[in-house]
Amino acid sequence: MKSSALKLGLLGLSSAFLFANCSSPKTEETTEEVVVEEVKTPTLTKIWETDSTLTTNESVLFDAASGKIYVSNIEGQPTDKDGKGSISIIDKEGNIVNQEWVTGLNAPKGMGIANGNLYVTDIDQLVEINLESGKISKKYPIEGGQFLNDLATYDGKVYFTDMNTGKVHMLDGGTISTVTEGHESINGIAIGEDGALYGLDKSGLVALNSDGSDMIMNSTVTGGDGLVILGDGNYVASRWAGEIYFVNAEGETLLLDTKDVSSNTADIGFIPEDNIVLVPTFFKNKVVAYKLDY
């Protein structure tokens, strides 16, 4: 009897020990902090403007190599072959360094630098200007050209648009060719670091393909004028009437609207190291600089 009782007691202790070890272990409660990242609204802040002597200025180009800013002045009507057009040079503080660096053009618009030259569209021809001398070294008549507008350069090649014909032409090694067409009212053009071509036409901001097709990236900035690629999927685009937009995959933000004071925003330029947008105001005859924060 004693032996049986002892066995029963040990059995009870073993069962209790087993039950205790099989019970659910305690867990510490943890709370994960959720961090909400603030979305920054892009803005433009005016920092300077030039004197109002840059008559009917249409395009602005910053040259990183020299620090100069080139301004194309129509000084007449956009399609008149009157010889009144000119190129001026201003500095990064808005001072006019050389009002008449190049004269005798007609209605100069888009500009770009390649191979030691400044290239300018001029109604139906592409004009080549030597950067050192400021002398016109060559003119390239464009067959069927009607309203040459914006211009961009990449790897020694010069790309430029014809707004009336919907074509993008290219100068390469002295030869003119058409790289893509069928883009109604195409104006602004820019080239990415990988050589990808982007434009502003009647449908908005588009990626351009050599077969004439395109991919619409933004359908709000229609009929745009100047285009700047910021990188990382960010762009700045202007519309001549007086609007400038920041554009990315999330949509667009209106940065500037000067329509109420009849100040145009034509073919904008950009100073990358300072994040400065350079705005030619066309009929206001001056360039205005804005600091971009985004």
Side-chain angles (χ1 to χ4, degrees):
M1 292 291 294
K2 288 184 179 180
S3 177
S4 299
L6 181 60
K7 288 180 180 179
L8 288 172
L10 290 173
L11 182 59
L13 287 172
S14 298
S15 300
F17 180 78
L18 181 63
F19 180 81
N21 280 274
C22 290
S23 61
S24 301
K26 290 185 178 180
T27 58
E28 294 184 7
E29 292 185 4
T30 58
T31 57
E32 188 175 328
E33 185 178 352
V34 178
V35 179
V36 179
E37 188 174 343
E38 184 179 353
V39 178
K40 193 171 190 176
T41 301
T43 58
L44 284 180
T45 304
K46 182 179 175 180
I47 53 176
W48 55 256
E49 64 180 39
T50 66
D51 290 336
S52 55
T53 58
L54 303 170
T55 308
T56 329
N57 58 100
E58 200 279 337
S59 182
V60 184
L61 175 71
F62 171 68
D63 178 15
S66 65
K68 297 176 181 177
I69 299 170
Y70 297 95
V71 184
S72 63
N73 310 296
I74 294 175
E75 302 197 42
Q77 296 301 315
T79 57
D80 283 359
K81 296 183 178 182
D82 53 16
K84 295 180 180 179
S86 67
I87 306 293
S88 301
I89 297 175
I90 64 176
D91 63 22
K92 292 173 68 176
E93 285 71 48
N95 302 301
I96 298 176
V97 177
N98 191 336
Q99 176 82 42
E100 297 183 334
W101 179 62
V102 177
T103 58
L105 300 173
N106 295 309
K109 299 178 182 71
M111 297 178 289
I113 293 172
N115 312 313
N117 299 306
L118 176 73
Y119 291 91
V120 187
T121 57
D122 196 10
I123 304 179
D124 58 0
Q125 63 184 351
L126 180 66
V127 179
E128 180 183 281
I129 302 166
N130 183 272
L131 281 175
E132 287 190 11
S133 66
K135 302 296 183 182
I136 296 174
S137 52
K138 196 164 186 178
K139 295 181 179 180
Y140 297 88
I142 307 304
E143 184 178 354
Q146 296 180 20
F147 196 94
L148 305 185
N149 213 323
D150 201 12
L151 184 152
T153 61
Y154 180 81
D155 195 25
K157 302 178 182 65
V158 181
Y159 297 80
F160 51 101
T161 61
D162 189 325
M163 191 171 177
N164 281 11
T165 65
K167 295 179 179 180
V168 177
H169 301 290
M170 177 182 68
L171 170 68
D172 183 15
T175 301
I176 300 288
S177 62
T178 299
V179 295
T180 182
E181 56 186 304
H183 310 286
E184 187 176 357
S185 300
I186 189 165
N187 186 346
I189 190 173
I191 305 173
E193 292 183 354
D194 58 353
L197 201 59
Y198 301 87
L200 297 168
D201 65 11
K202 187 176 181 179
S203 60
L205 170 59
V206 295
L208 302 171
N209 301 315
S210 59
D211 62 359
S213 65
D214 57 48
M215 180 181 70
I216 299 176
M217 302 173 64
N218 181 279
S219 58
T220 297
V221 189
T222 55
D225 201 319
L227 179 61
V228 173
I229 300 174
L230 299 174
D232 298 323
N234 300 312
Y235 306 83
V236 174
S238 67
R239 298 171 81 182
W240 182 85
E243 296 175 346
I244 296 180
Y245 289 86
F246 178 91
V247 182
N248 59 18
E250 281 69 51
E252 71 287 328
T253 301
L254 181 60
L255 296 172
L256 185 71
D257 187 347
T258 54
K259 295 192 301 296
D260 59 337
V261 292
S262 300
S263 185
N264 301 110
T265 49
D267 185 14
I268 55 176
F270 189 62
I271 305 178
E273 62 265 30
D274 300 320
N275 270 1
I276 293 176
V277 178
L278 304 165
V279 182
T281 61
F282 211 76
F283 291 125
K284 291 294 185 183
N285 304 322
K286 59 187 176 182
V287 172
V288 184
Y290 295 86
K291 177 76 172 181
L292 172 65
D293 188 20
Y294 70 99

